[in-house]
Amino acid sequence: MFDLAMSRIAGRFKRVEPRATARDFVLALLSGVERKNCWRLAEHAGHARPGPMQRLLRTTRWDADAVRDDIRAYVVDQLGADDGVLIVDETGFLKKGTASAGVQRQYTGTAGRIENTQVGVFLAYASNKGRALIDRRLYLPDASWSQDAERRARAGVPDQVEFATKPTLAGQMIAAALDAGIGTSWVTGDEAYGQDPGLRALLESRRVGYVLAVACSTRVLINQGRTTARADAVADRLPASAWHRQSAGAGAKGPRYYDWAWIEIGADCHRHLLIRRNPSSGELAFYLCWTPRRVPLSELVRVAGTRWCIEECFQAAKGQVGLDHYQVRHWTAWHRHITLAMLALAVLAALATDATPARTAQPNRTIRSTGPIDLTVPEVRHLLGALLNPANPSAQAAALVKLAQTAPGNSPPQPLPAATRQPLNRIDHEVALEY
């Protein structure tokens, strides 16, 4: 797997010396060297000094973005599957001083607080075969960097690089992946990306479905687009029958079961509010979903559960291939080091896939799944009370929605033909699904 990966990028180095140095660099990243800086990596590779590796990251002529494209193609070749999902997220690189490109005091989930850090926005690809990082962007804060020409010049920031928000950077990476021919039907990410209407609009224009986390205060259109309400207010008034326990994928201790509810929002049947409830604590999480075609609840749950794959990529990349071990200050060096670390991570992912049979993201058993709650049904309208009727704020929730049960069959159920499939906004209709 390693030789196959290196053969993908070999042509990006015009001379044999940097090509060999790049190979040694990636091999050293894959080694057990504890602190993966150029001194330690050179020592592992048997080099007398770190100069060649330092030049590889700073001055040697090669295109890190072209290598990034090769890595993306390699990952899709090794891990590509029909259930592939693109995941966007960010991670922080703690720094000392103010010289490193993009560094400033800012919040990072890595530390869980405001720290002096660089922030990188990443794109991952995940399927039932494995997961790996396929793209990266260094976030350049506006006031402290984008508008400071002298500071940019010292850190090697190219003149053409302008300020872009993190969701904008995510959209650039997703668009590049789709333009490169990655076959995926889904994108997922956390609140920082779900709250951005521009990113959601981009995905809809590209006909790519999304399951993006949003805040509990997000206002959604219910009552066929005629009423707005907070997401948490809608969740508080759902009947018990609206909740369905399903697995969001395998965790360290087995399937991760949550209670899920989904509600059609807007005026069409392709837009939903997905709500996740922890069975133990009752904690809620909310997702805005859009699909170009009708899908069952289990598919939205699967995509929502896939978001954690990028966190696993960050843990593996930082713990095993030194994603954050090299004290990079220069813009070019950051992108080159991160790109080679992504290559090392992709090799590990491919090796794991080769050694482990592919598994489905959820337990393979037959379940029943209802369509999303129909807010036009009288019982549901009465239950939601004031949300649908602001003029009557004293309306009390008093009714439960009765859902028709589908009798189990003796053989695994088959999906209905597209021409006869019932609308998923009917609450009195259930279909049996396999997942």
Side-chain angles (χ1 to χ4, degrees):
M1 289 296 177
F2 175 77
D3 288 337
L4 177 61
M6 294 307 300
S7 68
R8 287 291 189 109
I9 71 168
R12 305 299 182 183
F13 302 91
K14 301 305 181 183
R15 297 172 54 243
V16 65
E17 293 86 353
R19 189 181 309 146
T21 302
R23 179 185 178 87
D24 290 342
F25 192 98
V26 177
L27 272 175
L29 290 177
L30 290 167
S31 72
V33 174
E34 188 171 339
R35 291 292 300 171
K36 292 181 169 64
N37 55 45
C38 279
W39 283 92
R40 297 291 181 86
L41 298 182
E43 181 180 33
H44 178 273
H47 296 184
R49 51 192 176 83
M53 290 189 174
Q54 291 172 340
R55 288 193 296 273
L56 181 72
L57 298 183
R58 284 291 301 271
T59 59
T60 301
R61 295 182 61 181
W62 61 282
D63 188 342
D65 286 346
V67 172
R68 180 270 322 274
D69 294 344
D70 294 334
I71 295 169
R72 182 173 57 207
Y74 173 77
V75 168
V76 174
D77 285 348
Q78 299 298 317
L79 309 180
D82 292 340
D83 66 345
V85 177
L86 293 175
I87 315 163
V88 292
D89 203 356
E90 63 199 60
T91 190
F93 303 89
L94 301 180
K95 298 293 179 181
K96 296 181 180 180
T98 60
S100 299
V103 71
Q104 73 168 16
R105 288 188 60 78
Q106 54 192 319
Y107 178 83
T108 171
T110 303
R113 59 184 181 273
I114 294 176
E115 286 283 359
N116 196 59
T117 182
Q118 292 173 312
V119 172
V121 181
F122 287 81
L123 182 68
Y125 178 86
S127 72
N128 61 359
K129 294 182 179 180
R131 66 290 309 264
L133 301 173
I134 61 172
D135 205 346
R136 73 287 179 268
R137 297 286 193 280
L138 179 59
Y139 173 66
L140 198 67
D142 189 15
S144 61
W145 276 95
S146 297
Q147 301 176 31
D148 190 333
E150 183 180 350
R151 195 179 190 193
R152 288 166 58 105
R154 288 198 303 267
V157 179
D159 293 339
Q160 66 270 23
V161 175
E162 299 179 350
F163 171 74
T165 65
K166 295 168 188 175
T168 299
L169 296 176
Q172 293 172 0
M173 293 188 291
I174 292 168
L178 296 175
D179 291 342
I182 284 188
T184 181
S185 300
W186 294 103
V187 169
T188 186
D190 67 12
E191 288 183 21
Y193 305 94
Q195 297 287 155
D196 187 79
L199 179 59
R200 300 198 305 268
L202 168 67
L203 296 174
E204 292 179 26
S205 70
R206 300 296 295 258
R207 307 293 292 173
V208 176
Y210 58 76
V211 179
L212 295 169
V214 293
C216 64
S217 59
T218 300
R219 302 193 71 84
V220 296
L221 289 171
I222 57 177
N223 195 19
Q224 294 190 336
R226 294 190 292 269
T227 308
T228 62
R230 280 176 57 115
D232 54 358
V234 174
D236 288 343
R237 290 164 173 80
L238 290 179
S241 54
W243 297 95
H244 310 279
R245 185 156 298 181
Q246 295 194 18
S247 168
K253 299 181 180 179
R256 294 176 287 130
Y257 284 104
Y258 295 93
D259 295 328
W260 302 84
W262 60 330
I263 303 159
E264 283 187 356
I265 56 177
D268 59 57
C269 60
H270 302 297
R271 205 174 296 278
H272 300 89
L273 172 67
L274 178 67
I275 308 171
R276 186 192 74 199
R277 184 176 67 191
N278 188 305
S280 301
S281 65
E283 180 183 5
L284 298 176
F286 302 88
Y287 305 83
L288 288 183
C289 309
W290 180 86
T291 59
R293 56 182 176 81
R294 292 177 175 175
V295 297
L297 172 62
S298 58
E299 181 69 353
L300 298 181
V301 170
R302 180 188 72 84
V303 177
T306 304
R307 192 185 76 79
W308 295 104
C309 290
I310 196 168
E311 298 291 347
E312 296 172 355
C313 285
F314 290 151
Q315 291 177 11
K318 292 183 177 182
Q320 300 179 45
V321 298
L323 189 74
D324 62 346
H325 284 182
Y326 185 71
Q327 295 300 310
V328 180
R329 292 185 176 183
H330 198 270
W331 173 274
T332 299
W334 187 91
H335 286 85
R336 290 183 172 188
H337 168 72
I338 295 295
T339 301
L340 294 176
M342 285 168 47
L343 176 60
L345 181 65
V347 170
L348 290 179
L351 288 170
T353 299
D354 193 50
T356 307
R359 296 182 297 175
T360 56
Q362 296 178 322
N364 186 19
R365 61 184 181 87
T366 302
I367 64 166
R368 290 188 177 89
S369 174
T370 68
I373 290 296
D374 186 352
L375 298 180
T376 65
V377 174
E379 292 91 336
V380 179
R381 293 179 63 84
H382 178 65
L383 192 69
L384 291 175
L387 285 180
L388 296 181
N389 185 15
N392 182 21
S394 62
Q396 300 295 319
L400 293 178
V401 180
K402 295 182 179 180
L403 301 174
Q405 300 295 321
T406 302
N410 295 324
S411 60
Q414 300 296 322
L416 294 173
T420 62
R421 187 174 296 139
Q422 296 295 318
L424 293 181
N425 65 349
R426 294 290 304 278
I427 63 167
D428 59 350
H429 175 69
E430 286 195 347
V431 292
L433 305 166
E434 280 193 343
Y435 78 116

